Amino acid sequence: LYKYDAMESLLSIFREMKDLDSAIEIVSEDLSENPFNLKSRLHLVELLIEKSEYQKALDEIKKAEILSIKNEKVLEAKYRIYKKMSQ
């Protein structure tokens, strides 16, 4: 639990600094250790959306769907990706 609190804090700092690449790196490292961590996967999706990397975000949301197909946050993120891709 402590590790995730620290990660959340770092993500907030990097987002404030607009350093999305560092934030993505932290989340990606966590996912390499814990590939079934839905919360980290959703963080990665959000960061990729912020970077306008919609295809990568879509790839990640598909992985998140496997972990939790009916999760409201997963469905919401998927909707936002498709909406951004259609603009």
Side-chain angles (χ1 to χ4, degrees):
L1 186 62
Y2 170 76
K3 178 182 174 183
Y4 294 106
D5 291 339
M7 187 178 77
E8 296 274 340
S9 296
L10 281 173
L11 288 176
S12 291
I13 291 167
F14 285 133
R15 274 190 158 131
E16 287 176 26
M17 294 171 43
K18 304 292 185 205
D19 187 356
L20 299 179
D21 290 330
S22 293
I24 287 171
E25 185 178 331
I26 288 172
V27 175
S28 295
E29 286 174 14
D30 181 60
L31 286 170
S32 71
E33 295 174 21
N34 306 297
F36 302 110
N37 185 323
L38 182 60
K39 191 171 186 176
S40 291
R41 182 89 44 205
L42 288 172
H43 278 306
L44 180 56
V45 168
E46 294 300 325
L47 291 164
L48 291 168
I49 291 171
E50 286 181 48
K51 281 193 72 175
S52 301
E53 294 184 11
Y54 305 124
Q55 188 57 52
K56 288 182 182 178
L58 190 58
D59 293 343
E60 292 300 326
I61 206 65
K62 288 176 182 177
K63 293 175 187 174
E65 282 182 308
I66 292 168
L67 298 174
S68 181
I69 194 153
K70 294 190 182 198
N71 183 293
E72 185 176 324
K73 290 182 180 184
V74 172
L75 296 173
E76 184 180 299
K78 187 176 181 179
Y79 167 77
R80 286 198 345 272
I81 294 166
Y82 280 120
K83 187 175 179 181
K84 296 266 187 189
M85 290 176 84
S86 70
Q87 293 177 350

